[in-house]
Amino acid sequence: TWRTPGVTDRRAGAEAQVFVRGVGTDACGVTVDPSVAIHLDGVYQARPQMGLQQFLDVERVEILRGPQGTLYGRNATAGVINIVSRQPTDEFEGYVSAAYGSFDRFDTQGAVSGPITDALSARVAVRYLNDDGFTDDLDPAGGDEIDDNDMIATRGILAFEPNDRVRAALTIDFTDFESGNRTIRPLDDLGIADALGAMPLPSFDETRNPEPTFLDWETWGATLDISWDLNDYVSLTSISGYRRFDMDFLFNTDGTEIPVTRTNFAWTTEQFSQELRLQSENLDRWRWLLGGYFLTEDKVGTLALQRFTNNVMAVSPFTIFLPNDDEGRAWAVFGELGFDVTEWFSVTVGARYSKERKEDVTSFANLPGVVTITSPLAPPLFVLRDDEETWDSVDPRVVLEFKPQDNVLLYASVSKGFKSGGWNAFAPGEAFDPEEIWAYEGGIKSDWYDDRLRLNLAGFYYDYSDLQVNTFINSVAVTTNAAEATVWGIEFEAVAAPIENLELAVNYAYLDAEYDSFISPFGGLGPQDLEGNRLRNAPKHKVNASAEYAVPVSNYGELVAFTQVTYQSDVFFSQFNEDVIGQDGYALLDARLAFRSSDGRWEVAIFGKNLTDKEYLQNAVRFTSTSNQTMGFDEDAIGNALGYPAPGREIGGQIRFNF
């Protein structure tokens, strides 16, 4: 769970889904873009999976809430997650850590960093993660493991600083991941498997998976970051990035031991981006920045929806193939100008012009039998769509800052965000429209009592138009544009050090996120008026409270105890606000106890996550492909409700050496 107020993360099979202040994307496929922009070392990641999985040798993670389109690139209507890797150092250093715990989880990583010459330095980091999964598979016909991890990741950074005006860093990373895929559980009795006599559900941490399911992916990339101080007043930054991501998975779609249907999906994406920024340095009262951005992305994805023979549906085995071949090109120019009107009042204005061109070719084939994407059979394809669209937008931003004293900052901002349109990956039809947001925010950031108390408060109001929302129509996922939505909320953060060696922190977010006007079809029930319904993944309340206390142990070191409680109120995972496609409010308890040596060279710790072993869902969906619309079941064709379980209690130990 993210500790940042207003941020929630979800999993749906292989898809990473992040929502900020109730805004995000749960659509899958290569034809749809995320609403939260992920940046890894300054490079925008067009697919969230490229940057959200590894977390190798990370220096910090910055989370910027609200539209950030002026400076942070495309598709940042909800916000930005900026992941910054540790950089090479001027002196030799390194570390190695290892952890072992529940689910036979072994997680180890390490890094070595230091100078090669006076002008050249390097850093190399490696991580290996392996576990048996947090769910037991009771069906011997399936794979040996499910909800497991087997990952190796590595990153190398070479930094070159010939003088005090130029710095260049080349980063190359690679990650390989294998898994038995994810568990899904039926939440109602509308499934075909239920009509065929599926066994009662096992325990929450158990499943019956009869398929040899898998989830394999690998990603690699290279980044060249060059900074050049042209003179004492102007600097130039160039960031060039290439990334590739390949994924293949087989998924037991109905979540039971009855062979009903399974999903095979494979996709590949390549992207190249270039950003140039020219900005001021060392000016008295003025600050300015000018930039340009270009991205090209080529994507190929194929869905194979496989249906087995069954007596209820009275059909023979068949497989539906839906390949997508997509290209995207994005250009942008942006600028920002800041002026200190007085010592305590400043104004910043900026704008970004974005233009996007996308092409999509979607085909279709209906084949006899249950075959996979890797089958040697080359199906005859019928082209469902061959389309090209272009969108553009001008997105301004204005920020006012008032600093009555050094430790207090009052601010107010208005900004506009833009997310490009796209197509439904698995259905014919025209492109859906871009979504736009006007965001208004104000707040205070302050430090008190010699920085022993930090208090931050923010209030925001969002006006959304053409919000992109995912739904199921005729057995396939379809993205449509909601007419309007309003989001407003309050976020509070407090960090206090009331006594020596004790730190207390509380983060709270209140979120009111509703559709103002949205008509959406719901199976055979027809169009539904969803005015007043809450947005998906938008809990009204989210609280995180933590405490850390360090106790000196003679001259040997210190004992550090940390605990946190995270509470989230109920959420809905679809716009229809059904209880079954949602999750009641819950709280999670985590703790860690560590001993650190006095010289900082080593640390030993024990930790626990979800210590109360709370059973909750990471996500839930409706699949009409697994529902039974005969014999009085699912006559309205709304689909079978299924949920993705979250991990249970995890306890482990960790050791780390620094050198």
Side-chain angles (χ1 to χ4, degrees):
T1 301
W2 296 98
R3 295 180 64 185
T4 304
V7 179
T8 58
D9 62 314
R10 297 285 176 243
R11 287 292 301 270
E15 297 291 325
Q17 301 174 355
V18 181
F19 287 73
V20 178
R21 293 173 172 173
V23 180
T25 301
D26 59 2
C28 61
V30 298
T31 61
V32 184
D33 290 329
S35 299
V36 179
I38 311 297
H39 288 251
L40 178 59
D41 294 328
V43 176
Y44 170 75
Q45 313 289 295
R47 306 294 110 190
Q49 293 85 348
M50 291 177 172
L52 284 179
Q53 307 286 1
Q54 303 92 327
F55 283 95
L56 166 66
D57 198 35
V58 172
E59 178 181 306
R60 67 185 185 274
V61 178
E62 301 169 345
I63 300 179
L64 308 177
R65 288 158 281 181
Q68 305 291 327
T70 303
L71 299 180
Y72 275 92
R74 61 194 301 259
N75 298 333
T77 50
V80 172
I81 296 176
N82 191 23
I83 304 169
V84 180
S85 304
R86 290 191 176 102
Q87 297 297 303
T89 53
D90 295 332
E91 297 181 359
F92 178 77
E93 67 170 40
Y95 70 91
V96 60
S97 69
Y100 180 80
S102 304
F103 323 127
D104 283 332
R105 177 169 295 159
F106 178 66
D107 188 356
T108 182
Q109 66 175 291
V112 177
S113 177
I116 300 175
T117 68
D118 290 342
L120 195 65
S121 59
R123 187 179 189 94
V124 177
V126 179
R127 181 186 182 193
Y128 175 69
L129 169 66
N130 181 271
D131 63 57
D132 295 338
F134 57 84
T135 304
D136 294 328
D137 187 359
L138 305 181
D139 195 323
D144 295 334
E145 297 174 349
I146 197 165
D147 291 317
D148 59 316
N149 297 281
D150 188 355
M151 182 185 75
I152 184 166
T154 182
R155 178 189 299 116
I157 304 177
L158 195 64
F160 178 59
E161 295 187 58
N163 53 56
D164 59 1
R165 288 189 177 274
V166 177
R167 183 185 187 275
L170 175 64
T171 302
I172 299 177
D173 66 89
F174 173 81
T175 303
D176 181 79
F177 178 88
E178 296 180 357
S179 169
N181 217 313
R182 301 303 177 200
T183 302
I184 199 165
R185 294 173 63 87
L187 304 176
D188 58 23
D189 60 358
L190 300 183
I192 297 171
D194 189 78
L196 292 175
M199 297 178 65
L201 287 177
S203 300
F204 194 78
D205 59 354
E206 296 176 330
T207 189
R208 297 187 182 94
N209 175 35
E211 308 294 338
T213 56
F214 60 85
L215 166 59
D216 302 332
W217 58 263
E218 69 176 36
T219 183
W220 75 275
T223 301
L224 179 60
D225 187 337
I226 302 174
S227 300
W228 181 16
D229 292 337
L230 302 178
N231 53 46
D232 291 340
Y233 303 104
V234 180
S235 66
L236 175 67
T237 300
S238 169
I239 302 177
S240 310
Y242 170 84
R243 297 212 64 84
R244 180 184 173 101
F245 188 92
D246 298 275
M247 183 180 70
D248 186 13
F249 75 78
L250 181 67
F251 179 63
N252 179 25
T253 317
D254 61 279
T256 73
E257 80 283 0
I258 304 294
V260 175
T261 183
R262 64 187 188 185
T263 303
N264 186 194
F265 190 43
W267 57 272
T268 296
T269 179
E270 283 186 284
Q271 72 167 67
F272 172 78
S273 63
Q274 175 64 55
E275 182 167 343
L276 293 172
R277 297 195 300 265
L278 196 67
Q279 64 186 55
S280 63
E281 302 285 348
N282 304 317
L283 296 182
D284 185 19
R285 300 173 64 181
W286 292 91
R287 299 171 304 280
W288 58 264
L289 180 148
L290 295 173
Y293 178 80
F294 171 75
L295 176 138
T296 176
E297 185 187 16
D298 296 328
K299 305 160 286 182
V300 177
T302 303
L303 170 72
L305 184 61
Q306 304 154 358
R307 176 65 65 86
F308 294 86
T309 302
N310 64 77
N311 296 327
V312 176
M313 298 296 290
V315 296
S316 299
F318 66 90
T319 300
I320 295 175
F321 271 77
L322 287 161
N324 307 114
D325 190 347
D326 277 57
E327 294 182 3
R329 304 291 182 268
W331 303 265
V333 291
F334 54 89
E336 194 166 81
L337 179 65
F339 177 62
D340 295 334
V341 181
T342 67
E343 293 183 358
W344 43 266
F345 179 66
S346 65
V347 179
T348 301
V349 296
R352 185 183 187 95
Y353 172 74
S354 303
K355 186 172 184 178
E356 305 222 358
R357 178 176 61 83
K358 294 183 178 181
E359 302 175 18
D360 172 75
V361 178
T362 294
S363 305
F364 172 85
N366 193 341
L367 302 176
V370 178
V371 295
T372 64
I373 293 174
T374 55
S375 169
L377 176 63
L381 297 177
F382 172 73
V383 176
L384 291 178
R385 178 176 55 235
D386 187 347
D387 197 8
E388 177 181 329
E389 293 286 348
T390 301
W391 300 279
D392 64 351
S393 180
V394 176
D395 304 312
R397 180 172 181 259
V398 179
V399 181
L400 306 179
E401 294 183 343
F402 174 62
K403 200 170 185 179
Q405 55 192 62
D406 289 341
N407 61 322
V408 176
L409 173 66
L410 301 172
Y411 69 93
S413 69
V414 56
S415 59
K416 179 175 175 284
F418 163 79
K419 175 189 170 184
S420 61
W423 293 270
N424 293 296
F426 312 128
E430 298 179 350
F432 50 81
D433 294 328
E435 64 179 25
E436 294 185 348
I437 177 176
W438 279 99
Y440 309 87
E441 182 171 342
I444 180 173
K445 298 180 180 181
S446 62
D447 291 312
W448 305 91
Y449 305 111
D450 297 325
D451 296 335
R452 298 177 66 87
L453 175 64
R454 172 170 297 174
L455 297 174
N456 297 334
L457 179 66
F460 58 91
Y461 177 88
Y462 292 172
D463 185 8
Y464 257 96
S465 60
D466 290 326
L467 183 63
Q468 297 169 8
V469 183
N470 199 39
T471 189
F472 269 82
I473 301 175
N474 298 327
S475 301
V476 295
V478 174
T479 298
T480 60
N481 292 103
E484 295 177 358
T486 297
V487 178
W488 68 272
I490 298 172
E491 295 169 347
F492 171 75
E493 302 170 86
V495 180
I499 60 174
E500 187 176 2
N501 299 328
L502 175 64
E503 181 178 283
L504 305 174
V506 176
N507 301 318
Y508 169 72
Y510 173 81
L511 183 64
D512 187 296
E514 295 183 349
Y515 299 108
D516 295 332
S517 175
F518 185 25
I519 305 295
S520 179
F522 189 28
L525 296 175
Q528 305 292 301
D529 186 354
L530 305 183
E531 180 182 352
N533 280 18
R534 280 163 52 190
L535 271 63
R536 308 148 300 155
N537 293 293
K540 278 193 173 183
H541 307 279
K542 188 173 182 180
V543 184
N544 176 273
S546 64
E548 181 175 282
Y549 186 56
V551 180
V553 180
S554 187
N555 295 323
Y556 299 105
E558 61 180 4
L559 196 64
V560 182
F562 172 82
T563 186
Q564 71 173 1
V565 176
T566 302
Y567 170 77
Q568 176 181 284
S569 61
D570 60 290
V571 296
F572 297 110
F573 299 124
S574 84
Q575 64 269 33
F576 301 107
N577 286 193
E578 305 172 89
D579 290 337
V580 69
I581 308 297
Q583 171 61 53
D584 293 338
Y586 62 91
L588 300 178
L589 174 64
D590 304 326
R592 189 174 189 269
L593 182 65
F595 180 80
R596 299 171 182 167
S597 65
S598 57
D599 59 6
R601 298 289 299 274
W602 58 271
E603 178 184 272
V604 178
I606 57 174
F607 61 86
K609 301 178 181 179
N610 190 9
L611 285 171
T612 61
D613 201 22
K614 176 63 181 179
E615 297 178 354
Y616 66 100
L617 297 175
Q618 300 182 58
N619 208 340
V621 295
R622 281 199 180 276
F623 286 153
T624 51
S625 60
T626 67
S627 68
N628 173 24
Q629 298 169 24
T630 64
M631 300 174 59
F633 290 86
D634 195 19
E635 293 179 336
D636 294 318
I638 61 174
N640 183 198
L642 301 112
Y644 295 90
R649 180 191 296 116
E650 180 180 358
I651 298 174
Q654 183 181 38
I655 186 169
R656 176 180 172 122
F657 292 94
N658 300 313
F659 55 86

